[in-house]
Amino acid sequence: MLELTRRSITKDSVDFCVRIPAKEAAKIIESTKSFWLLAGLEVMEKNSEGEEIITVDEAFPDVTPGDLLRGARFREDMTQIELAAATGIHKNNISEMERGVRPITLEMAKKLGEALNISYKSFL
């Protein structure tokens, strides 16, 4: 069945599809979103599989810089000792930052970002 002739599975809403030039997509999508929001309608973005796209903040509202540090360290398959050696930050300090006991300073964030291949701004 053609995409444009498919019927919505709910009685209260309609799927709306538009084909636009790829080079203009970002501009058109942004202005269209603004239009729908002004009309008081909810805007839901979906990926190519039809799944709703949400921001990291929406998915993980209580994520702390320490959580991000721990996650980035695990992603890079590093222990706290290995990260300490790579950054020059004492292992105990890394442990305290991951637990939220010690704040991550700008200087530490830059060292951590470089060692973990992530923007240092993630830790601030």
Side-chain angles (χ1 to χ4, degrees):
M1 186 181 289
L2 291 173
E3 181 70 29
L4 295 175
T5 60
R6 259 201 294 184
R7 293 197 183 266
S8 174
I9 57 172
T10 64
K11 294 179 180 158
D12 296 335
S13 66
V14 175
D15 291 336
F16 183 74
C17 297
V18 179
R19 187 174 304 253
I20 55 177
K23 65 182 181 181
E24 303 294 329
K27 189 176 10 174
I28 294 171
I29 289 169
E30 230 14 76
S31 60
T32 304
K33 274 199 297 188
S34 298
F35 173 77
W36 296 120
L37 291 171
L38 282 172
L41 300 171
E42 182 180 342
V43 177
M44 184 186 323
E45 294 184 58
K46 296 187 177 188
N47 64 15
S48 60
E49 285 87 38
E51 301 165 329
E52 184 179 357
I53 298 172
I54 59 175
T55 65
V56 172
D57 292 336
E58 291 171 323
F60 305 103
D62 299 327
V63 174
T64 65
D67 294 330
L68 293 172
L69 173 57
R70 186 180 309 108
R73 183 172 59 77
F74 283 145
R75 185 194 67 212
E76 295 298 319
D77 196 28
M78 295 178 84
T79 65
Q80 289 179 347
I81 294 170
E82 291 169 334
L83 183 57
T87 59
I89 300 170
H90 196 277
K91 180 222 170 277
N92 290 346
N93 291 346
I94 291 173
S95 174
E96 290 174 353
M97 286 186 279
E98 287 185 359
R99 290 182 287 130
V101 175
R102 176 182 294 271
I104 301 175
T105 65
L106 178 61
E107 182 182 331
M108 287 182 185
K110 288 182 178 180
K111 290 178 183 180
L112 292 166
E114 187 174 326
L116 296 170
N117 300 312
I118 189 171
S119 171
Y120 72 92
K121 295 177 182 177
S122 302
F123 303 121
L124 301 177

